[in-house]
C-alpha cells in the first residue's frame, strides 16, 4: 500500500514555489502510483493554531505525480472559500498530503469511527429532488471535536442541504467510509529539506525567500 511521505509534501511545496516563479518544479522523489488524494494548506502566524487556507483533492484514483502537482496548486489558488495564497505567505504555510485507502460501504450513518474514517455521503435533497454529496477527511471530525451526528449533519450542510435534518433523512444517506495516510510538513521543514538535498534555499525568480519576501522587495 502506498503511504503519504515527506517527498510528496516537498513536491507540493515545489509546485507552489515554481508557480510563483513561472517555472516547472523539480522531478518528484517518489514512485508513481494511482490513488485518490488530497492536498491541504494551513497557515500559522505568531505561534497560533494553523488555520485552513485551502483543501481540494479527488475521491477518484488518479496518477499521484500529476495529481499532487495539480491539487497543490488548485487547493492553494482556487479553493473558492479563500483568497488565493500569495507568495509572501509561504513561510507561514504547512502542507498536508493525504492518500485515501480502504473504501467501504457503511451499514448506516453511524457505522464509522471518529478519527479513523473519512466519509462520503450521498443523498437526494427532498426539497429539490436533486442529488447531493460531500466528504470529510478522517482527521476533520476529531479535530473539530464532533460526535457522529454532528459530523453527519455538518456534512449534509456542506453538501448544500438547507432543509430540516431529520433522523429519517439521516437513515437514507448512502455513506462510504475510507481511511487515509497523511504527512504534514511546515515551510521551515521544506526549506531545510531543499537546502540539505539541493544545496540551495528555495527561490522565487532566482531570489531566496527570507521571511516571505525576496531581498530588496
Amino acid at each position: 500500500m502506498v503511504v503519504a511521505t515527506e517527498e510528496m509534501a516537498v513536491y507540493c511545496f515545489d509546485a507552489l514555489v515554481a508557480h510563483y516563479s513561472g517555472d516547472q518544479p523539480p522531478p518528484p522523489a517518489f514512485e508513481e502510483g494511482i490513488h485518490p488524494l488530497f492536498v491541504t494548506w494551513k497557515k500559522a502566524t505568531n505561534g497560533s493554531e494553523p488555520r485552513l487556507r485551502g483543501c481540494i483533492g479527488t475521491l477518484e484514483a488518479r496518477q499521484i505525480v500529476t495529481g499532487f502537482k495539480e491539487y497543490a496548486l488548485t487547493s492553494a489558488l482556487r479553493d473558492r472559500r479563500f483568497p488565493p495564497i500569495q507568495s509572501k505567505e509561504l513561510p507561514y504555510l504547512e502542507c498536508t498530503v493525504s492518500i485515501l485507502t480502504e473504501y467501504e460501504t457503511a451499514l448506516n450513518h453511524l457505522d464509522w469511527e471518529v478519527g479513523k474514517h473519512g466519509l462520503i455521503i450521498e443523498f437526494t435533497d427532498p426539497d429539490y429532488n436533486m442529488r447531493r454529496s460531500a466528504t470529510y477527511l478522517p482527521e476533520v471530525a476529531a479535530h473539530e471535536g464532533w460526535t457522529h451526528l454532528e459530523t453527519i449533519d455538518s456534512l449534509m450542510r456542506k453538501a448544500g442541504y438547507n432543509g430540516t435534518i431529520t433522523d429519517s433523512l439521516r437513515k437514507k444517506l448512502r455513506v462510504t467510509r475510507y481511511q487515509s495516510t497523511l504527512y504534514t510538513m511546515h515551510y521551515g521543514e521544506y526549506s531545510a529539506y531543499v537546502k540539505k538535498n539541493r544545496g540551495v534555499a528555495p527561490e522565487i525568480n532566482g531570489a531566496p525567500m527570507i521571511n516571505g519576501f525576496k531581498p530588496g522587495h
Side-chain angles (χ1 to χ4, degrees):
M1 184 182 75
V2 173
V3 298
T5 65
E6 176 184 46
E7 289 77 18
M8 294 173 184
V10 167
Y11 190 57
C12 290
F13 268 114
D14 280 342
L16 189 56
V17 170
H19 165 77
Y20 295 129
S21 296
D23 298 327
Q24 289 297 315
F30 57 89
E31 296 292 322
E32 181 63 282
I34 300 179
H35 292 276
L37 58 91
F38 270 74
V39 178
T40 303
W41 296 101
K42 292 185 178 181
K43 180 181 178 182
T45 55
N46 301 322
S48 63
E49 178 79 10
R51 301 186 61 150
L52 187 65
R53 279 295 275 113
C55 178
I56 294 179
T58 173
L59 298 168
E60 303 294 328
R62 60 165 298 168
Q63 292 183 318
I64 61 176
V65 171
T66 55
F68 276 127
K69 180 182 177 182
E70 175 183 335
Y71 287 105
L73 296 180
T74 302
S75 59
L77 307 172
R78 291 183 285 278
D79 187 327
R80 289 177 292 182
R81 297 171 294 178
F82 306 98
I85 294 175
Q86 301 179 46
S87 61
K88 66 182 181 182
E89 297 179 77
L90 270 170
Y92 309 105
L93 295 180
E94 67 175 33
C95 176
T96 298
V97 292
S98 302
I99 298 279
L100 311 187
T101 62
E102 308 288 341
Y103 280 60
E104 302 172 301
T105 299
L107 297 176
N108 53 58
H109 64 288
L110 301 177
D111 182 30
W112 56 280
E113 293 182 35
V114 173
K116 178 179 180 180
H117 293 116
L119 300 174
I120 305 166
I121 65 163
E122 301 169 271
F123 63 101
T124 298
D125 187 323
D127 297 331
Y128 296 95
N129 195 32
M130 63 183 293
R131 297 292 292 171
R132 296 193 182 277
S133 64
T135 188
Y136 276 144
L137 295 175
E139 60 269 24
V140 172
H143 180 267
E144 297 293 338
W146 289 336
T147 65
H148 285 70
L149 283 183
E150 288 170 337
T151 305
I152 290 295
D153 291 356
S154 179
L155 263 177
M156 294 178 73
R157 297 303 187 204
K158 183 182 180 183
Y161 177 64
N162 295 316
T164 301
I165 297 177
T166 63
D167 205 47
S168 62
L169 182 56
R170 293 188 190 105
K171 290 177 179 178
K172 294 177 182 177
L173 299 176
R174 182 175 183 270
V175 181
T176 302
R177 66 188 191 187
Y178 59 88
Q179 299 179 47
S180 71
T181 69
L182 52 84
Y183 191 96
T184 298
M185 170 177 275
H186 188 272
Y187 179 83
E189 297 169 311
Y190 164 70
S191 181
Y193 177 99
V194 171
K195 290 177 184 176
K196 177 182 176 182
N197 291 278
R198 302 174 192 165
V200 293
E203 297 180 343
I204 293 182
N205 293 328
M209 293 290 293
I210 299 175
N211 296 326
F213 297 93
K214 293 178 288 185
H217 289 69

